[in-house]
Amino acid sequence: MRVVAALLLLPALVYAVAPGEKTDQQFMADAETICQHDATERGETEPRQFAYCMERQRDGLARVTSHSAQYTQMFYAEVSYPYCYGEWTNRDISNVRMIAYCLDQEIEGFKDVRYYSGKFGEDRVHEIVMPVLNDLHSWRAAGNAVKRQLDPAP
């Protein structure tokens, strides 16, 4: 696919500093920090809220792990994962549930780009996608831009 092949020619898309890979244990330590904060009100931790938050974080970790095993293509490794990791990591604390949600959105955006490339032609889609990827580093944003320009809502 030309759009993906073009990524090889655009070093600006590759982040200057790739995010460090966290282990499952590091992600879950971050999850505990996030859930402890979110489940605490006026100094008291609500155990059910904490447990629910941790369950959602574990589900997020499972989705990230699954995506990383399933999608080894450049769109994922060089664009989507670094983008989502960066968006949902603050002060070295990563919200793996939100990283998973972001990756779901990125994958759908990439699928949209592939779909519209087949429907409207790779050259036409490429002209829309590449500036968005260079600017925003997001397949979701690229897919939305293509959809808005080539297939607007009635």
Side-chain angles (χ1 to χ4, degrees), residues 56-92:
R56 293 181 71 202
Q57 291 287 331
R58 278 189 288 277
D59 290 345
L61 179 58
R63 286 199 341 262
V64 169
T65 301
S66 174
H67 289 329
S68 294
Q70 183 178 0
Y71 298 103
T72 56
Q73 298 98 332
M74 188 174 197
F75 91 89
Y76 181 84
E78 297 292 332
V79 179
S80 295
Y81 186 83
Y83 170 76
C84 292
Y85 184 91
E87 286 292 304
W88 293 102
T89 299
N90 186 18
R91 297 185 201 160
D92 203 36

Short mmCIF file of all heavy atoms in Angstrom, two decimals, residues 56-92:
data_model
loop_
_atom_site.label_atom_id
_atom_site.label_comp_id
_atom_site.label_asym_id
_atom_site.label_seq_id
_atom_site.Cartn_x
_atom_site.Cartn_y
_atom_site.Cartn_z
N ARG A 56 -10.60 -2.73 34.97
CA ARG A 56 -10.59 -2.03 33.68
C ARG A 56 -9.16 -1.83 33.18
O ARG A 56 -8.88 -1.92 31.99
CB ARG A 56 -11.33 -0.70 33.80
CG ARG A 56 -12.83 -0.94 34.06
CD ARG A 56 -13.62 0.32 34.17
NE ARG A 56 -13.71 0.93 32.85
CZ ARG A 56 -13.96 2.22 32.66
NH1 ARG A 56 -14.13 3.02 33.68
NH2 ARG A 56 -14.03 2.71 31.44
N GLN A 57 -8.23 -1.57 34.09
CA GLN A 57 -6.82 -1.43 33.70
C GLN A 57 -6.27 -2.77 33.21
O GLN A 57 -5.53 -2.82 32.22
CB GLN A 57 -5.99 -0.90 34.88
CG GLN A 57 -6.28 0.53 35.26
CD GLN A 57 -5.74 1.54 34.27
OE1 GLN A 57 -4.76 1.32 33.58
NE2 GLN A 57 -6.41 2.68 34.17
N ARG A 58 -6.63 -3.87 33.88
CA ARG A 58 -6.18 -5.21 33.43
C ARG A 58 -6.75 -5.52 32.04
O ARG A 58 -6.04 -6.06 31.19
CB ARG A 58 -6.59 -6.28 34.44
CG ARG A 58 -5.65 -6.40 35.62
CD ARG A 58 -5.96 -7.62 36.48
NE ARG A 58 -7.19 -7.46 37.23
CZ ARG A 58 -7.30 -6.81 38.38
NH1 ARG A 58 -6.25 -6.26 38.94
NH2 ARG A 58 -8.47 -6.72 38.99
N ASP A 59 -8.00 -5.15 31.82
CA ASP A 59 -8.60 -5.35 30.49
C ASP A 59 -7.84 -4.52 29.45
O ASP A 59 -7.59 -4.99 28.34
CB ASP A 59 -10.08 -4.94 30.49
CG ASP A 59 -10.96 -5.87 31.28
OD1 ASP A 59 -10.53 -7.00 31.61
OD2 ASP A 59 -12.11 -5.47 31.59
N GLY A 60 -7.48 -3.31 29.79
CA GLY A 60 -6.71 -2.46 28.89
C GLY A 60 -5.36 -3.07 28.57
O GLY A 60 -4.93 -3.09 27.41
N LEU A 61 -4.69 -3.61 29.58
CA LEU A 61 -3.38 -4.25 29.36
C LEU A 61 -3.54 -5.46 28.43
O LEU A 61 -2.72 -5.65 27.53
CB LEU A 61 -2.76 -4.66 30.69
CG LEU A 61 -1.40 -5.36 30.58
CD1 LEU A 61 -0.38 -4.49 29.86
CD2 LEU A 61 -0.91 -5.76 31.97
N ALA A 62 -4.59 -6.22 28.61
CA ALA A 62 -4.82 -7.38 27.74
C ALA A 62 -5.03 -6.93 26.29
O ALA A 62 -4.51 -7.56 25.36
CB ALA A 62 -6.03 -8.18 28.23
N ARG A 63 -5.75 -5.83 26.09
CA ARG A 63 -5.96 -5.32 24.73
C ARG A 63 -4.67 -4.79 24.12
O ARG A 63 -4.38 -5.04 22.95
CB ARG A 63 -7.05 -4.24 24.71
CG ARG A 63 -8.42 -4.83 24.89
CD ARG A 63 -9.59 -3.95 24.46
NE ARG A 63 -9.43 -2.56 24.31
CZ ARG A 63 -9.75 -1.63 25.22
NH1 ARG A 63 -10.24 -1.98 26.38
NH2 ARG A 63 -9.60 -0.34 24.94
N VAL A 64 -3.87 -4.06 24.90
CA VAL A 64 -2.59 -3.56 24.39
C VAL A 64 -1.70 -4.73 24.01
O VAL A 64 -1.08 -4.73 22.94
CB VAL A 64 -1.89 -2.65 25.42
CG1 VAL A 64 -0.45 -2.36 25.02
CG2 VAL A 64 -2.66 -1.34 25.58
N THR A 65 -1.65 -5.75 24.86
CA THR A 65 -0.83 -6.94 24.58
C THR A 65 -1.32 -7.62 23.31
O THR A 65 -0.51 -8.01 22.46
CB THR A 65 -0.87 -7.90 25.78
OG1 THR A 65 -0.37 -7.22 26.94
CG2 THR A 65 -0.04 -9.14 25.52
N SER A 66 -2.62 -7.75 23.17
CA SER A 66 -3.20 -8.38 21.98
C SER A 66 -2.90 -7.57 20.73
O SER A 66 -2.48 -8.13 19.70
CB SER A 66 -4.72 -8.52 22.16
OG SER A 66 -5.31 -9.00 20.98
N HIS A 67 -3.09 -6.26 20.79
CA HIS A 67 -2.79 -5.41 19.63
C HIS A 67 -1.32 -5.50 19.25
O HIS A 67 -0.99 -5.59 18.07
CB HIS A 67 -3.12 -3.94 19.92
CG HIS A 67 -4.58 -3.63 20.01
ND1 HIS A 67 -5.54 -4.29 19.29
CD2 HIS A 67 -5.23 -2.68 20.74
CE1 HIS A 67 -6.73 -3.79 19.57
NE2 HIS A 67 -6.57 -2.81 20.45
N SER A 68 -0.44 -5.49 20.24
CA SER A 68 1.00 -5.53 19.96
C SER A 68 1.40 -6.85 19.31
O SER A 68 2.32 -6.88 18.49
CB SER A 68 1.80 -5.31 21.24
OG SER A 68 1.58 -4.00 21.72
N ALA A 69 0.71 -7.93 19.65
CA ALA A 69 0.99 -9.23 19.02
C ALA A 69 0.40 -9.31 17.62
O ALA A 69 0.99 -9.88 16.71
CB ALA A 69 0.44 -10.36 19.89
N GLN A 70 -0.78 -8.71 17.44
CA GLN A 70 -1.49 -8.80 16.17
C GLN A 70 -0.98 -7.82 15.13
O GLN A 70 -0.92 -8.14 13.95
CB GLN A 70 -2.99 -8.56 16.41
CG GLN A 70 -3.82 -8.70 15.16
CD GLN A 70 -5.31 -8.52 15.45
OE1 GLN A 70 -5.71 -8.27 16.58
NE2 GLN A 70 -6.12 -8.63 14.42
N TYR A 71 -0.64 -6.61 15.54
CA TYR A 71 -0.27 -5.56 14.60
C TYR A 71 1.22 -5.24 14.73
O TYR A 71 1.61 -4.46 15.58
CB TYR A 71 -1.09 -4.30 14.84
CG TYR A 71 -2.57 -4.50 14.65
CD1 TYR A 71 -3.41 -4.63 15.72
CD2 TYR A 71 -3.10 -4.58 13.36
CE1 TYR A 71 -4.77 -4.83 15.54
CE2 TYR A 71 -4.45 -4.78 13.17
CZ TYR A 71 -5.28 -4.91 14.27
OH TYR A 71 -6.62 -5.11 14.08
N THR A 72 2.00 -5.85 13.88
CA THR A 72 3.43 -5.58 13.90
C THR A 72 3.82 -4.66 12.76
O THR A 72 4.98 -4.33 12.61
CB THR A 72 4.22 -6.89 13.80
OG1 THR A 72 3.81 -7.58 12.61
CG2 THR A 72 4.00 -7.78 15.02
N GLN A 73 2.83 -4.27 11.96
CA GLN A 73 3.12 -3.40 10.83
C GLN A 73 3.62 -2.04 11.29
O GLN A 73 3.43 -1.64 12.42
CB GLN A 73 1.86 -3.18 9.96
CG GLN A 73 1.31 -4.43 9.34
CD GLN A 73 0.15 -4.99 10.15
OE1 GLN A 73 0.07 -4.80 11.35
NE2 GLN A 73 -0.74 -5.69 9.49
N MET A 74 4.22 -1.35 10.35
CA MET A 74 4.79 -0.05 10.63
C MET A 74 3.75 0.94 11.16
O MET A 74 4.06 1.75 12.03
CB MET A 74 5.45 0.49 9.37
CG MET A 74 6.24 1.73 9.60
SD MET A 74 7.09 2.15 8.09
CE MET A 74 8.27 3.27 8.76
N PHE A 75 2.52 0.89 10.63
CA PHE A 75 1.50 1.86 11.08
C PHE A 75 1.33 1.79 12.59
O PHE A 75 1.10 2.79 13.25
CB PHE A 75 0.16 1.64 10.37
CG PHE A 75 -0.79 0.69 11.07
CD1 PHE A 75 -1.68 1.15 12.02
CD2 PHE A 75 -0.78 -0.66 10.78
CE1 PHE A 75 -2.55 0.29 12.67
CE2 PHE A 75 -1.64 -1.53 11.42
CZ PHE A 75 -2.54 -1.05 12.37
N TYR A 76 1.45 0.59 13.14
CA TYR A 76 1.25 0.41 14.58
C TYR A 76 2.52 0.75 15.36
O TYR A 76 2.51 1.58 16.26
CB TYR A 76 0.82 -1.03 14.86
CG TYR A 76 0.58 -1.31 16.31
CD1 TYR A 76 -0.64 -1.02 16.89
CD2 TYR A 76 1.58 -1.85 17.12
CE1 TYR A 76 -0.88 -1.25 18.23
CE2 TYR A 76 1.36 -2.09 18.46
CZ TYR A 76 0.13 -1.79 19.01
OH TYR A 76 -0.09 -2.02 20.34
N ALA A 77 3.63 0.12 14.98
CA ALA A 77 4.86 0.25 15.75
C ALA A 77 5.49 1.64 15.65
O ALA A 77 6.05 2.13 16.63
CB ALA A 77 5.87 -0.81 15.28
N GLU A 78 5.37 2.27 14.50
CA GLU A 78 6.04 3.56 14.30
C GLU A 78 5.13 4.77 14.50
O GLU A 78 5.62 5.87 14.68
CB GLU A 78 6.64 3.62 12.88
CG GLU A 78 7.71 2.60 12.62
CD GLU A 78 8.98 2.83 13.43
OE1 GLU A 78 9.26 4.00 13.77
OE2 GLU A 78 9.67 1.86 13.74
N VAL A 79 3.82 4.57 14.43
CA VAL A 79 2.92 5.72 14.54
C VAL A 79 1.94 5.53 15.70
O VAL A 79 1.95 6.30 16.66
CB VAL A 79 2.17 5.98 13.21
CG1 VAL A 79 1.21 7.16 13.36
CG2 VAL A 79 3.14 6.21 12.08
N SER A 80 1.11 4.52 15.63
CA SER A 80 0.01 4.39 16.58
C SER A 80 0.46 4.17 18.02
O SER A 80 0.00 4.86 18.93
CB SER A 80 -0.93 3.27 16.15
OG SER A 80 -1.54 3.60 14.93
N TYR A 81 1.32 3.19 18.25
CA TYR A 81 1.74 2.91 19.62
C TYR A 81 2.47 4.11 20.24
O TYR A 81 2.11 4.54 21.35
CB TYR A 81 2.56 1.63 19.73
CG TYR A 81 2.86 1.28 21.17
CD1 TYR A 81 1.93 0.60 21.94
CD2 TYR A 81 4.04 1.70 21.77
CE1 TYR A 81 2.18 0.31 23.27
CE2 TYR A 81 4.30 1.42 23.11
CZ TYR A 81 3.37 0.72 23.85
OH TYR A 81 3.61 0.45 25.16
N PRO A 82 3.48 4.67 19.56
CA PRO A 82 4.13 5.84 20.17
C PRO A 82 3.17 7.01 20.42
O PRO A 82 3.27 7.70 21.44
CB PRO A 82 5.21 6.23 19.14
CG PRO A 82 5.46 4.98 18.38
CD PRO A 82 4.15 4.26 18.33
N TYR A 83 2.23 7.22 19.50
CA TYR A 83 1.26 8.30 19.67
C TYR A 83 0.42 8.06 20.92
O TYR A 83 0.29 8.94 21.78
CB TYR A 83 0.37 8.40 18.43
CG TYR A 83 -0.81 9.32 18.61
CD1 TYR A 83 -0.65 10.70 18.58
CD2 TYR A 83 -2.08 8.80 18.82
CE1 TYR A 83 -1.73 11.55 18.76
CE2 TYR A 83 -3.17 9.65 18.99
CZ TYR A 83 -3.00 11.01 18.96
OH TYR A 83 -4.07 11.84 19.15
N CYS A 84 -0.16 6.88 21.05
CA CYS A 84 -1.05 6.59 22.18
C CYS A 84 -0.28 6.55 23.50
O CYS A 84 -0.77 7.04 24.52
CB CYS A 84 -1.79 5.28 21.94
SG CYS A 84 -2.98 5.38 20.57
N TYR A 85 0.89 5.97 23.48
CA TYR A 85 1.72 5.92 24.68
C TYR A 85 2.02 7.35 25.15
O TYR A 85 1.89 7.66 26.33
CB TYR A 85 3.01 5.16 24.39
CG TYR A 85 3.90 4.97 25.59
CD1 TYR A 85 3.78 3.84 26.39
CD2 TYR A 85 4.86 5.91 25.93
CE1 TYR A 85 4.60 3.65 27.48
CE2 TYR A 85 5.68 5.74 27.03
CZ TYR A 85 5.55 4.61 27.80
OH TYR A 85 6.36 4.43 28.90
N GLY A 86 2.38 8.20 24.22
CA GLY A 86 2.68 9.59 24.57
C GLY A 86 1.47 10.36 25.06
O GLY A 86 1.57 11.17 25.99
N GLU A 87 0.33 10.11 24.44
CA GLU A 87 -0.90 10.81 24.84
C GLU A 87 -1.36 10.43 26.24
O GLU A 87 -1.97 11.24 26.93
CB GLU A 87 -2.03 10.50 23.85
CG GLU A 87 -1.91 11.20 22.52
CD GLU A 87 -2.10 12.70 22.63
OE1 GLU A 87 -3.14 13.14 23.14
OE2 GLU A 87 -1.18 13.43 22.22
N TRP A 88 -1.11 9.19 26.64
CA TRP A 88 -1.66 8.69 27.90
C TRP A 88 -0.59 8.33 28.92
O TRP A 88 -0.84 7.51 29.81
CB TRP A 88 -2.62 7.53 27.62
CG TRP A 88 -3.81 8.04 26.90
CD1 TRP A 88 -4.09 7.94 25.57
CD2 TRP A 88 -4.86 8.82 27.47
NE1 TRP A 88 -5.25 8.59 25.28
CE2 TRP A 88 -5.75 9.15 26.43
CE3 TRP A 88 -5.14 9.28 28.76
CZ2 TRP A 88 -6.90 9.91 26.65
CZ3 TRP A 88 -6.28 10.03 28.96
CH2 TRP A 88 -7.14 10.33 27.91
N THR A 89 0.57 8.94 28.80
CA THR A 89 1.62 8.81 29.81
C THR A 89 1.94 10.21 30.31
O THR A 89 2.24 11.11 29.53
CB THR A 89 2.88 8.15 29.24
OG1 THR A 89 2.54 6.83 28.78
CG2 THR A 89 3.98 8.05 30.28
N ASN A 90 1.82 10.38 31.62
CA ASN A 90 2.06 11.68 32.24
C ASN A 90 2.98 11.46 33.44
O ASN A 90 2.66 10.67 34.33
CB ASN A 90 0.74 12.30 32.68
CG ASN A 90 0.91 13.70 33.19
OD1 ASN A 90 1.92 14.36 32.94
ND2 ASN A 90 -0.09 14.18 33.92
N ARG A 91 4.11 12.14 33.43
CA ARG A 91 5.09 11.99 34.52
C ARG A 91 5.48 10.53 34.70
O ARG A 91 5.57 10.03 35.83
CB ARG A 91 4.57 12.58 35.81
CG ARG A 91 4.32 14.06 35.73
CD ARG A 91 3.93 14.60 37.07
NE ARG A 91 3.24 15.86 36.87
CZ ARG A 91 2.45 16.41 37.75
NH1 ARG A 91 2.26 15.84 38.91
NH2 ARG A 91 1.86 17.54 37.49
N ASP A 92 5.65 9.84 33.60
CA ASP A 92 6.05 8.43 33.55
C ASP A 92 5.00 7.46 34.12
O ASP A 92 5.29 6.31 34.38
CB ASP A 92 7.41 8.21 34.23
CG ASP A 92 8.08 6.95 33.72
OD1 ASP A 92 7.95 6.65 32.51
OD2 ASP A 92 8.72 6.23 34.53
#
